[in-house]
Amino acid sequence: MEDASMHVGIRGPLDQELGFKTIHCDELEKHGPDHVARRIRDRIGDHPLYLSIDIDVLDPAHAPGTGTPEIAGLTTRELLNILRGLAGVNLVAADIVEVSPAYDHAEITSLAAATIAYEMINLVVCRSR
């Protein structure tokens, strides 16, 4: 389902060059989380959604415990608001990857990942009501 795939929080040009629809971090900064959630919803329509969150989409200030930290990422608030903006989508599976607690002495990356997982579960539960 390439026509329903999207990468959010990209900071470089590679994914777009490979044909993926992308939402660059600069677009999020300019238009906000509601705009990003709306673009995702428009893209996926009623298709089943597999949602994979690479924790390094978050700025290292919010998730330092990853193998590939990269500056200028999303804040936890931005990511949670994007997820909340997806209420009602047909989420059928989800994961969170690249969480490396050994690189985070304060455990904020694990806390971010757990909160993201909670929001993903809410998407499933709210859809099934």
Side-chain angles (χ1 to χ4, degrees):
M1 256 187 254
E2 183 179 314
D3 62 338
S5 297
M6 181 172 275
H7 290 177
V8 177
I10 302 302
R11 290 168 278 218
L14 183 60
D15 288 12
Q16 208 161 8
E17 291 174 9
L18 295 174
F20 289 98
K21 290 289 184 187
T22 63
I23 298 177
H24 197 276
C25 280
D26 292 342
E27 182 177 346
L28 171 65
E29 178 70 23
K30 184 175 181 180
H31 299 288
D34 291 340
H35 166 81
V36 172
R38 190 169 36 260
R39 280 206 50 207
I40 296 167
R41 294 174 71 85
D42 290 347
R43 178 81 172 157
I44 62 171
D46 291 328
H47 292 290
L49 173 62
Y50 170 72
L51 181 59
S52 182
I53 304 283
D54 188 330
I55 202 72
D56 70 9
V57 73
L58 296 175
D59 189 88
H62 300 272
T66 181
T68 53
E70 188 176 344
I71 63 165
L74 279 63
T75 66
T76 49
R77 176 176 288 129
E78 289 168 333
L79 181 54
L80 293 177
N81 284 326
I82 291 168
L83 291 173
R84 291 170 184 157
L86 298 178
V89 298
N90 185 17
L91 182 64
V92 297
D95 66 19
I96 305 164
V97 298
E98 296 292 328
V99 177
S100 300
Y103 295 137
D104 183 358
H105 72 284
E107 300 179 0
I108 61 174
T109 307
S110 297
L111 178 59
T115 305
I116 291 164
Y118 175 80
E119 293 294 334
M120 291 172 159
I121 292 167
N122 282 335
L123 289 174
V124 173
V125 171
C126 291
R127 168 80 179 197
S128 65
R129 286 184 176 174

